[in-house]
Each structure stands twice: as C-alpha cells, then as structure tokens.
C-alpha cells in the first residue's frame, strides 16, 4: 500500500493531465494525446478507480487502448506533434537563441518527432467531434 501523500501526488498528476487533455479538445494547438497518456500512466499509481474510468471512457478509452495494445498514435496527434515541435524550434530561432541551443533542441526535437512519427497509426482511434457519431482522424 502506498503512502497517502504518494497516492495523492499520483492522483493529482493524473487529474491535472486529464484537465489539460480535456482543454486540448477545445483549445487549438494544445495536444490531448500526450496528457492523456501521462494520466493513464499515473492514475493506477494513485487511483485504480480513476484508471478504470479512463480506460472505459467512450472518448478517451480508444486512444489509450490503441497505445497499450499496439503503441499506436492517432494520425492527427502525429501531425500536431510534428507541427508544434517545428513551431517551437522556429520560436527559438526567431527569438535569437544561440547556435548551441538551436542545435541541441533541434536534435532533441528530431528525436521526439522520429519516435512519434514512426509509431503505428491508431486507425479508428481518433477523437469524436462534438455532434458526430463517427470516429475521425
């Protein structure tokens, strides 16, 4: 049994990531999938009930199942991740970051992009758009 403070910290991380992921459903450029994956990782450590709820959720569950079963990421999330990485590097460049910072972040961002883009596509595991009953990518 984990200490109550430890369980509280894991639960807080999970709920915080669920909140950020939920905001990502409506806020442009705020990704949902990474926050959802962190929440799914932290929830069992703090609240098994929350973990069960996440995996059974009609909107969130399919993405989690795709990741757990095949390490698959929705195409939309892949495109958004690559775009945000490029935009972040561009902000550094436009902001006058040093060559060393640009090189280091460029290498890191390329590694992250390569990882995300080489994951299988989560076919049929996109998000439901409000007011629609079909899965979209």
């Amino acid at each position: 049994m984990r200490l109550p403070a430890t369980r509280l910290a894991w639960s807080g991380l999970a709920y915080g990531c669920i909140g950020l992921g939920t905001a990502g459903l409506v806020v442009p450029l705020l990704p949902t999938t990474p926050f959802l994956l962190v929440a799914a990782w932290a929830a069992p450590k703090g609240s098994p009930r929350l973990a069960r709820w996440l995996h059974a959720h009609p909107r969130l569950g399919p993405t989690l199942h795709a990741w757990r079963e095949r390490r698959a990421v929705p195409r939309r999330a892949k495109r958004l991740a690559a775009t945000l990485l490029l935009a972040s590097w561009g902000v550094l460049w436009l902001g006058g970051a040093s060559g060393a910072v640009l090189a280091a972040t460029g290498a890191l961002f390329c590694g992250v992009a390569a990882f995300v883009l080489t994951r299988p596509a989560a076919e049929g595991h996109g998000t439901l758009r409000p007011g629609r009953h079909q899965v979209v990518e």
Side-chain angles (χ1 to χ4, degrees):
M1 178 114 210
R2 294 188 187 271
L3 296 172
T6 304
R7 289 178 50 104
L8 183 62
W10 285 116
S11 292
L13 176 61
Y15 279 110
C17 287
I18 290 170
L20 289 169
T22 301
L25 292 172
V26 294
V27 176
L29 300 181
L30 183 63
T32 299
T33 303
F35 292 118
L36 179 59
L37 294 176
V38 172
W41 169 73
K45 296 167 178 60
S47 171
R49 187 174 131 206
L50 175 60
R52 286 189 302 275
W53 177 83
L54 277 171
H55 286 280
H57 193 277
R59 293 191 82 175
L60 307 176
T63 300
L64 293 174
H65 291 291
W67 177 255
R68 186 178 63 210
E69 294 166 9
R70 298 186 346 263
R71 296 296 189 243
V73 177
R75 284 195 171 114
R76 180 177 180 267
K78 290 181 179 191
R79 286 190 302 267
L80 185 59
T83 301
L84 290 176
L85 288 167
L86 184 59
S88 297
W89 190 89
V91 168
L92 289 172
W93 179 67
L94 290 172
S98 70
V101 169
L102 291 174
T105 55
L108 175 67
F109 289 178
C110 284
V112 170
F115 176 80
V116 170
L117 295 174
T118 58
R119 300 305 94 197
E123 299 300 332
H125 290 92
T127 58
L128 289 174
R129 290 189 180 157
R132 295 193 180 184
H133 298 288
Q134 65 184 15
V135 176
V136 295
E137 288 295 323

